[in-house]
Amino acid sequence: MTRVLAGPYCTQILGDLGADVIKVEHPTRGDDTRAWGPPYAKYVQGEHAEGPGESAYYLAVNRNKKSLGLSFAHPAGVDILHRLVKECDVLVENYLPGSLGKYAMDYATVAKINPGLIYASITGYGQTGPYRDRAGYDVMVEAEMGLMHITGARDGPPVKVGVAVTDLTTGLYTSNSIMAALLSRIKSGKGQHIDVSLSDCQVATLANIASSALISGEKDSGRWGTSHPSIVPYKAFKTSDGDILLGGGNDRLFGILATKVGKPEWITDEKFKTNAKRVEHRNVLEKFIENETKKRSTQEWLEILEGCGMPYAAINDIQATMSHEHVLARGMVQEVEHPTCGPIKLVNTPVKYSVSTPGIRTPPPTLGQHTDEILKETLGLSLEEIDDLRSEGVVA
């Protein structure tokens, strides 16, 4: 019972790992992201191929799921949900705290139906606290919980991260928590309610920056762009046709960098001999390095640095990433056959196992694609009962 990103990302992870995921969607509009385009994968086949197609946003986080088009504003829809609760191990929802109570889908109610149920609630600010009733969107939480303040150029304004990273980390935390709760249930036989919020997850993923503020009691050092506050050189430098990221994280690596750019004398320069000195003379050294990197193209520097042992990377756009030789070699792009859009490419699940084979088993479903299957095979409804529900607008 989730839509947009954090919840669908969570359940997609579980689906990748083999879970049988039923996506409960509004019967006419479905998940909000179905309308978030362009771009769309255009319909090319099938009986119900009207409209612009399936949005790329929706396709990104809904593979390995079955779609049930259901209105739970109708009592018959709530009855179907309650019957599903009896059959399922996990329920994931991302509604405002308390709002599912009027549909008898709150944890207290459904736990009586299935005491072993793992019920995961994803919200902006959690089930408790002064902000509990606020709608939570990734960009708002990035702003409120510190991430935006430390993201962006050193002398520029705060900016959001290029993807909705707070939603994504929340989805990751939730999937991990669900699996831990399932392991706990094996021992105790009991289900539980998991309260996951974007705000808490954002605070948790401030990591060393939060720790520095807590330990020092001082303000953070602000935005650093691609630079690092306490390591130099460690940033992107301009080339003749783009940018390259270089990481001289210790004296040995700095020596490699100095040698590769043709300036071995920097190694013994008193201003640059140690990292502390390099941090002190950051502006001078970074200007010297960029004077050299601008003399060659990014590809030339990649060839010069190949095998040197120092961390370095081209800064690629997304199309370059999707066609990157290493990305392809690792199987991170997979083509699947979609029922109405034909062949489409999706990003694959990232973790490789020595025995198990997680991955893309089924393409993201069309709206209500599996309604009849779920109602008939999982809940045992007859075709006549399903037709009646459809005529009443309960299912689609």
Side-chain angles (χ1 to χ4, degrees):
M1 297 175 67
T2 71
R3 61 266 194 239
V4 188
L5 186 52
Y9 193 62
C10 161
T11 52
Q12 177 172 273
I13 291 169
L14 298 175
D16 288 352
L17 296 174
D20 185 7
V21 181
I22 297 171
K23 182 178 180 70
V24 179
E25 301 188 72
H26 188 280
T28 56
R29 62 177 181 269
D31 188 314
D32 296 0
T33 60
R34 288 185 180 276
W36 288 8
Y40 294 92
K42 297 189 182 304
Y43 295 133
V44 296
Q45 58 194 27
E47 296 179 20
H48 307 290
E50 302 86 10
E54 297 287 300
S55 79
Y57 199 120
Y58 168 80
L59 293 173
V61 286
N62 285 291
R63 62 176 177 258
N64 294 333
K65 302 178 186 181
K66 296 176 180 178
S67 173
L68 168 62
L70 176 70
S71 170
F72 51 87
H74 193 291
V78 175
D79 179 63
I80 289 170
L81 289 177
H82 284 178
R83 294 173 70 173
L84 282 172
V85 162
K86 291 181 182 179
E87 303 296 328
C88 293
D89 297 292
V90 179
L91 188 155
V92 189
E93 58 91 6
N94 68 341
Y95 291 81
L96 281 171
S99 61
L100 287 180
K102 61 184 175 183
Y103 303 109
M105 284 303 297
D106 54 298
Y107 177 67
T109 300
V110 299
K112 294 174 183 175
I113 299 171
N114 180 357
L117 185 73
I118 309 302
Y119 186 114
S121 296
I122 299 174
T123 57
Y125 296 94
Q127 302 296 309
T128 60
Y131 282 15
R132 68 182 295 271
D133 294 324
R134 281 196 184 189
Y137 293 89
D138 177 280
V139 69
M140 308 304 173
V141 176
E142 283 191 44
E144 185 100 33
M145 299 301 165
L147 181 60
M148 195 176 290
H149 173 71
I150 58 172
T151 305
R154 185 68 177 149
D155 56 353
V159 299
K160 70 180 183 68
V161 178
V163 294
V165 67
T166 308
D167 274 333
L168 299 175
T169 55
T170 301
L172 284 161
Y173 266 112
T174 308
S175 64
N176 197 41
S177 301
I178 287 168
M179 289 186 280
L182 288 168
L183 288 172
S184 175
R185 192 180 70 179
I186 292 172
K187 296 180 180 180
S188 69
K190 298 178 180 178
Q192 58 183 302
H193 186 198
I194 300 171
D195 170 11
V196 192
S197 73
L198 273 68
S199 58
D200 291 348
C201 292
Q202 181 51 72
V203 171
T205 51
L206 289 174
N208 60 297
I209 306 298
S211 182
S212 294
L214 291 170
I215 299 302
S216 71
E218 298 177 358
K219 292 184 67 174
D220 62 82
S221 57
R223 294 177 284 283
W224 285 92
T226 60
S227 299
H228 194 285
S230 52
I231 303 173
V232 174
Y234 195 94
K235 70 181 291 285
F237 295 93
K238 292 188 179 300
T239 64
S240 64
D241 64 350
D243 301 271
I244 190 166
L245 197 71
L246 303 176
N250 58 39
D251 295 343
R252 182 184 65 84
L253 295 176
F254 173 66
I256 293 173
L257 186 153
T259 301
K260 289 295 183 179
V261 301
K263 295 293 182 180
E265 63 271 21
W266 291 349
I267 300 171
T268 55
D269 190 313
E270 288 298 325
K271 296 191 298 295
F272 310 142
K273 283 183 72 172
T274 66
N275 183 66
K277 287 290 186 181
R278 293 192 291 273
V279 170
E280 181 182 348
H281 298 97
R282 174 194 301 269
N283 292 339
V284 173
L285 178 56
E286 290 177 347
K287 183 177 180 180
F288 283 173
I289 294 171
E290 192 157 270
N291 285 341
E292 300 306 315
T293 58
K294 288 167 71 174
K295 294 176 181 178
R296 298 177 187 271
S297 69
T298 300
Q299 183 58 40
E300 286 176 309
W301 283 117
L302 293 176
E303 293 169 3
I304 290 169
L305 295 168
E306 176 68 29
C308 72
M310 182 194 74
Y312 63 93
I315 298 180
N316 292 317
D317 65 16
I318 305 305
Q319 283 292 357
T321 298
M322 292 297 97
S323 60
H324 194 289
E325 61 177 348
H326 190 76
V327 171
L328 298 179
R330 293 284 291 172
M332 284 305 299
V333 176
Q334 183 173 330
E335 186 170 276
V336 299
E337 185 69 24
H338 189 275
T340 55
C341 300
I344 60 172
K345 290 182 178 179
L346 300 174
V347 174
N348 204 355
T349 188
V351 181
K352 281 71 176 172
Y353 292 71
S354 63
V355 177
S356 304
T357 54
I360 304 175
R361 293 175 285 114
T362 59
T366 56
L367 177 57
Q369 180 182 341
H370 304 94
T371 296
D372 288 10
E373 174 188 331
I374 294 164
L375 297 180
K376 183 180 177 182
E377 297 181 10
T378 304
L379 301 185
L381 272 66
S382 67
L383 292 176
E384 290 77 15
E385 289 174 307
I386 296 171
D387 287 342
D388 288 345
L389 289 169
R390 186 167 280 116
S391 66
E392 294 173 14
V394 179
V395 301

